[in-house]
């Protein structure tokens, strides 16, 4: 779940930094992560099963009704006893049947089963809300961590560019006799340190994206 959420967050932040038309807010990111989370979908499926089981348990407590209809049609020829002449004989008959049944006592098994299914429904709703809350929190955490890493990379880049400019300026002043070689060496060391810091911040951003 965290991996899916972070992939989405990374794409969202990328779109924000690239000034795309659609800018996702934190709330939109959280809602999207919750809607597309596999754990949320799985829990929703379990909750539907709990509801169906509860309905079936309640149905078993109600009287059962059965109805049946039979139709019989016969035809042929028969001998008329009065006229001693063969005549066509057709007959048609219907039978209707209806029955019902009710369990008077089963040791409260049916009622207990219905109550257990009701408890499962309530627990399922609570578990679903907890999963949604955790997903939203993890999405928010990932969002801010990713934005923070991007800001640190941007800041480190600015510092490195400033160090390069200062080093170039100092080298020029050394050529003019306004600065000494130790001054140049000091700024050169700072430029190397700032370059290393930029690389480090980029690596931290990559680690943040991968580990999320």
């Amino acid at each position: 779940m965290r991996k899916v959420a972070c992939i989405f967050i990374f794409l969202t932040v990328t779109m924000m930094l690239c000034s795309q038309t659609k800018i996702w807010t934190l709330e939109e990111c959280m809602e999207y992560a919750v809607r597309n989370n596999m754990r949320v979908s799985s829990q929703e499926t379990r909750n539907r099963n709990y509801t169906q089981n509860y309905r079936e348990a309640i149905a078993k407590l109600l009287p059962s009704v059965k109805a049946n209809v039979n139709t019989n049609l016969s035809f042929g020829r028969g001998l008329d006893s009065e006229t001693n002449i063969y005549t066509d004989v057709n007959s048609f008959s219907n039978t209707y049947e209806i029955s019902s049944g009710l369990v008077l006592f089963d040791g409260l098994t049916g009622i207990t089963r219905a109550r257990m299914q009701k408890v499962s429904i309530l627990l399922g709703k609570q578990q679903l809300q907890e999963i949604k809350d955790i997903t939203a929190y993890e999405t928010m955490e990932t969002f801010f961590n990713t934005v923070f890493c991007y800001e640190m990379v941007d800041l480190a880049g600015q510092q490195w560019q400033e160090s390069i400019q200062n080093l170039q300026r100092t080298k020029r002043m050394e050529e003019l006799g306004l600065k000494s070689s130790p001054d140049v060496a000091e700024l050169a060391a700072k430029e190397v340190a700032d370059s290393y810091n930029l690389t480090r911040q980029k690596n931290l951003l990559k680690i943040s994206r991968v580990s999320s």
Side-chain angles (χ1 to χ4, degrees):
M1 183 278 303
R2 286 178 60 85
K3 185 175 293 184
V4 175
C6 189
I7 291 175
F8 170 74
I9 296 301
F10 167 67
L11 293 176
T12 300
V13 175
T14 302
M15 288 189 294
M16 293 173 61
L17 295 178
C18 293
S19 301
Q20 296 293 327
T21 303
K22 173 62 177 178
I23 298 179
W24 291 74
T25 64
L26 174 59
E27 182 179 358
E28 290 174 332
C29 293
M30 295 168 65
E31 291 177 352
Y32 183 91
V34 170
R35 286 197 309 268
N36 294 273
N37 184 266
M38 292 299 298
R39 291 173 58 194
V40 172
S41 299
S42 298
Q43 186 61 47
E44 288 176 342
T45 300
R46 286 193 290 269
N47 288 358
R48 287 193 291 268
N49 292 335
Y50 294 152
T51 301
Q52 182 61 31
N53 293 338
Y54 175 72
R55 291 174 179 173
E56 293 177 357
I58 293 297
K60 291 180 179 180
L61 299 176
L62 302 177
S64 61
V65 179
K66 297 181 180 179
N68 187 35
V69 178
N70 292 322
T71 302
N72 184 38
L73 175 64
S74 61
F75 55 90
R77 301 191 66 188
L79 182 63
D80 192 331
S81 59
E82 295 182 357
T83 62
N84 203 27
I85 298 175
Y86 285 98
T87 59
D88 294 331
V89 178
N90 299 324
S91 63
F92 179 81
S93 62
N94 287 339
T95 59
Y96 303 92
E97 179 182 356
I98 185 170
S99 63
S100 64
L102 175 63
V103 178
L104 297 179
F105 183 75
D106 63 350
L108 301 179
T109 301
I111 296 177
T112 302
R113 184 185 301 110
R115 289 177 177 175
M116 291 178 61
Q117 296 301 332
K118 181 65 174 179
V119 171
S120 297
I121 292 177
L122 297 177
L123 289 177
K125 290 181 179 180
Q126 181 179 353
Q127 291 171 351
L128 177 61
Q129 187 60 49
E130 290 178 355
I131 294 174
K132 288 183 177 180
D133 292 341
I134 292 174
T135 302
Y137 174 79
E138 290 177 345
T139 303
M140 179 182 65
E141 183 180 30
T142 303
F143 182 93
F144 285 122
N145 286 342
T146 304
V147 171
F148 175 78
C149 289
Y150 270 105
E151 290 296 332
M152 291 302 295
V153 169
D154 183 63
L155 179 60
Q158 294 179 14
Q159 291 177 342
W160 182 53
Q161 291 297 327
E162 183 179 352
S163 295
I164 292 176
Q165 295 175 1
N166 290 336
L167 178 60
Q168 293 175 346
R169 187 182 305 109
T170 303
K171 286 182 177 180
R172 179 58 179 168
M173 294 176 69
E174 181 189 20
E175 295 174 356
L176 297 175
L178 300 177
K179 291 289 184 179
S180 63
S181 58
D183 294 329
V184 176
E186 180 181 356
L187 290 179
K190 187 177 185 306
E191 186 274 332
V192 172
D194 289 341
S195 176
Y196 168 78
N197 184 51
L198 175 59
T199 303
R200 177 175 175 273
Q201 294 301 329
K202 288 181 177 179
N203 289 335
L204 290 176
L205 175 60
K206 292 180 181 178
I207 293 175
S208 174
R209 288 158 46 185
V210 172
S211 62
S212 300

